[in-house]
Amino acid sequence: MSSASKLQQDLDCEIARLEQALIVLKRRRNALSPVSQLPSELLSKIFYLSLRFIQADRRSRTKILPEDTRLSISHVAHHWRTVALESPELWSEIHVRDTTKVEYLALARNNSKMQPLYVEGYNINLTGAAGVRYVLQTEPHRINGVTLHAPIEVMRSLLPYLKRCCEAIEFLYLELPRRVQTPLDSTDHDIFFNIPKLRNLGICYWDTLLIPTSFQPSSLVKLELYFTRSPSAQVTRSAFAALRAIASTLKNLFLSFLSRSSSPDFWNNFDRSPIDMPSLEVAFLVARTPGVLPELVSLIRPPSSFSEVYIAGEGSAATPDEYHAIVSALQRTYSSIYSPNFLRVRRPVQAAADSNAIEVIADLKPTHKNIQTNSTTNSIRTVIIPSSNSSLPISSPGSHPLPIPFPNSSDWLFGSQRVIVLEVDLPVAFWRAFSRIPTLSTIYYCAKRAEDGFLQALEEIVANEGPFKGDETYFPSLHTVYPIFSEEDIAWDIEYARSLAILLGKAWAKSSASGSSLTLLQFVGCSSESLDKETVCILRSVVRGVLAWNDQEWNCREPSEGDAIDIAPEDTT
């Protein structure tokens, strides 16, 4: 070896030694950074959460690759890589895309140690299905959960491999594309299978998947079934037979029928007797199919301890005949177990600005929270969304415009209301009904016109008109009225206030509930800045507590202990 070669070799060795020393120095320097001072357990948790809350930056979910994030984390620093590789829970969620390589899947399997595995295949074709199939084949006893979003041919190819994992799966969510699907033959059924340990099941838009009678998981707590077409009678029968089989354990139920038409035998030839669900907490019942919602409401029997029932009809399922049927089903199903105290009628938050949709919320107990926010507890939500070329007869006095029953017996579902919040202009027929509720104490409502339903109902009472029979008692417990002028630059706000006070006084004078008066009468959103003395005197004649006009207040008298107000307004928006 020449002296030059020997010198070159010595220099290479020195360079390698210095590079290794530099790496050690950089690691020591990095170890002094604040993030490196975090305990490894906390750093591992941060890594795990970074996979669950990836910043999308307006990208579609298909282009968000959690596995790339995981690999990036492990290449930032030596400490990070060590923590990542020693955190099996970081690798136990395997996200498969069409571009995912088998080598990465093998790495994830190995690094996850013996942790239960969750597999997600999102928007995959047959190429991505190969990756999912690889994990299901190699780890059938570790597959704890599976979520698949794929066309039906991909789902069908994976169904046998899912069946091999059925002894371990506790979470399963299968979703076909909702809008872009190959036309399916409704008589061509795909057969599901039993999954003994299953706790959560979602089957979305797979309208030909038939649940066999052997499907009886003993601890299923959540079931989601979404049909985009009208399923065949056989699929319908199997779905409701399965629902009966797991009714005793189910806590969350989501049923959705999105077809605008149904087959003639849709509800035929299966048991339509009520399904008692003693553990049910939340039920979402949604339909566009005519006739489905009333049947669902009649079938599903929750306990009195339920948290929320959400009922939504859209398009064909939002016709006047449809919500008349929903009203009857609500009365039959809930009147014996449920007496809501709080009622809210509004436009749905998620509806378009020009939508004619109506949402009715009946809640067991009124609070500040559910008046001023969307929060509810022990509630029934009914949403009616008419088709784009129609509207609900919300201003028609001769029809039943909302999906809540009128009082017709002593066990009326809404006969114990204490608080109502009305954000839409209801016709006089409903105000007639409200006037006869013996417990109604507080009314929040939007005054949208000079002669609204409230004033019309009071005028009928004063004139001895309207369908009032028996004990003539009107608003016997009313002590808080909170009109909100929702229109800008109105010229009739003072006139409205005077009319309201005069008619309330005359109505109470005719009522057997003599001596009634308000402890709070507050007007909000008024265009007129102040009230004249005469109007103040008229208003004070029906108030024995606080009278308020925007920011002006008059204490008509000091309320006594018996005048305690249950709900004082805090926010008028």
Side-chain angles (χ1 to χ4, degrees), residues 325-525:
I326 294 171
V327 164
S328 299
L330 276 170
Q331 180 69 24
R332 289 194 309 270
T333 304
Y334 292 93
S335 59
S336 62
I337 65 169
Y338 184 60
S339 298
N341 300 138
F342 169 77
L343 182 68
R344 183 173 193 163
V345 184
R346 65 180 183 181
R347 304 291 181 185
V349 175
Q350 69 275 18
D354 58 349
S355 172
N356 291 310
I358 292 293
E359 179 178 30
V360 176
I361 303 172
D363 204 310
L364 189 62
K365 183 181 294 185
T367 65
H368 283 302
K369 191 174 183 180
N370 57 24
I371 287 179
Q372 298 169 8
T373 70
N374 298 324
S375 174
T376 57
T377 56
N378 300 105
S379 66
I380 299 176
R381 285 175 177 250
T382 310
V383 179
I384 298 298
I385 307 173
S387 56
S388 57
N389 58 352
S390 65
S391 61
L392 293 171
I394 190 66
S395 298
S396 175
S399 63
H400 192 315
L402 295 176
I404 59 174
F406 271 1
N408 52 16
S409 66
S410 58
D411 62 348
W412 181 40
L413 177 61
F414 295 90
S416 60
Q417 293 291 314
R418 290 181 53 226
V419 178
I420 59 174
V421 177
L422 308 176
E423 300 173 28
V424 298
D425 189 8
L426 294 187
V428 63
F430 271 86
W431 287 101
R432 292 173 189 155
F434 293 147
S435 73
R436 304 306 302 275
I437 299 176
T439 55
L440 182 60
S441 62
T442 304
I443 299 175
Y444 296 74
Y445 71 103
C446 292
K448 295 179 177 291
R449 53 195 173 100
E451 288 289 333
D452 61 10
F454 193 7
L455 294 189
Q456 292 178 47
L458 291 173
E459 289 172 351
E460 288 184 356
I461 293 172
V462 172
N464 289 319
E465 297 177 356
F468 302 111
K469 298 178 181 179
D471 183 19
E472 301 300 322
T473 304
Y474 313 115
F475 298 111
S477 301
L478 188 63
H479 62 59
T480 299
V481 176
Y482 199 91
I484 303 170
F485 297 107
S486 56
E487 307 296 329
E488 295 183 1
D489 299 326
I490 57 173
W492 44 267
D493 52 355
I494 293 180
E495 178 186 353
Y496 182 93
R498 291 168 64 117
S499 298
L500 177 62
I502 292 171
L503 289 171
L504 275 174
K506 290 183 177 180
W508 275 325
K510 296 180 66 66
S511 172
S512 59
S514 58
S516 297
S517 60
L518 300 177
T519 55
L520 175 64
L521 177 57
Q522 181 161 353
F523 296 88
V524 178

Side-chain angles (χ1 to χ4, degrees), residues 143-157:
I143 304 299
N144 181 259
V146 179
T147 295
L148 298 177
H149 303 254
I152 192 166
E153 60 271 15
V154 174
M155 292 292 197
R156 285 171 170 167
S157 72

Side-chain angles (χ1 to χ4, degrees), residues 169-410:
I169 293 177
E170 296 184 15
F171 176 95
L172 181 62
Y173 192 91
L174 307 175
E175 181 176 354
L176 273 63
R178 177 175 172 180
R179 301 188 182 277
V180 183
Q181 290 192 52
T182 304
L184 301 177
D185 182 353
S186 61
T187 61
D188 183 17
H189 296 135
D190 304 291
I191 307 300
F192 199 47
F193 46 86
N194 189 37
I195 308 176
K197 297 180 180 179
L198 193 64
R199 295 182 56 81
N200 294 272
L201 173 64
I203 301 175
C204 301
Y205 318 129
W206 196 341
D207 303 324
T208 60
L209 188 61
L210 192 148
I211 303 176
T213 54
S214 61
F215 179 79
Q216 294 185 355
S218 59
S219 55
L220 191 70
V221 296
K222 183 176 182 180
L223 175 65
E224 299 179 55
L225 295 177
Y226 299 89
F227 298 97
T228 188
R229 297 175 179 83
S230 180
S232 68
Q234 188 175 359
V235 170
T236 306
R237 283 196 300 271
S238 68
F240 283 99
L243 185 59
R244 289 184 186 279
I246 50 92
S248 62
T249 61
L250 206 63
K251 293 183 179 181
N252 295 274
L253 174 64
F254 298 78
L255 293 177
S256 179
F257 294 84
L258 300 181
S259 173
R260 297 186 184 276
S261 61
S262 62
S263 58
D265 62 347
F266 182 79
W267 289 106
N268 295 336
N269 303 318
F270 80 95
D271 186 359
R272 293 161 67 178
S273 60
I275 304 175
D276 290 317
M277 310 187 76
S279 302
L280 192 67
E281 296 174 0
V282 176
F284 272 51
L285 311 175
V286 181
R288 293 177 179 173
T289 311
V292 169
L293 271 181
E295 292 284 357
L296 292 180
V297 174
S298 297
L299 276 174
I300 308 304
R301 292 290 180 90
S304 58
S305 59
F306 73 89
S307 177
E308 181 178 6
V309 174
Y310 178 93
I311 302 165
E314 180 179 353
S316 301
T319 63
D321 289 343
E322 184 76 6
Y323 58 68
H324 277 303
I326 294 171
V327 164
S328 299
L330 276 170
Q331 180 69 24
R332 289 194 309 270
T333 304
Y334 292 93
S335 59
S336 62
I337 65 169
Y338 184 60
S339 298
N341 300 138
F342 169 77
L343 182 68
R344 183 173 193 163
V345 184
R346 65 180 183 181
R347 304 291 181 185
V349 175
Q350 69 275 18
D354 58 349
S355 172
N356 291 310
I358 292 293
E359 179 178 30
V360 176
I361 303 172
D363 204 310
L364 189 62
K365 183 181 294 185
T367 65
H368 283 302
K369 191 174 183 180
N370 57 24
I371 287 179
Q372 298 169 8
T373 70
N374 298 324
S375 174
T376 57
T377 56
N378 300 105
S379 66
I380 299 176
R381 285 175 177 250
T382 310
V383 179
I384 298 298
I385 307 173
S387 56
S388 57
N389 58 352
S390 65
S391 61
L392 293 171
I394 190 66
S395 298
S396 175
S399 63
H400 192 315
L402 295 176
I404 59 174
F406 271 1
N408 52 16
S409 66
S410 58

Side-chain angles (χ1 to χ4, degrees), residues 87-103:
S87 303
E89 65 278 1
L90 188 65
W91 303 88
S92 62
E93 294 189 5
I94 301 177
H95 303 265
V96 182
R97 304 292 186 265
D98 289 332
T99 57
T100 304
K101 297 180 180 180
V102 173
E103 293 80 6

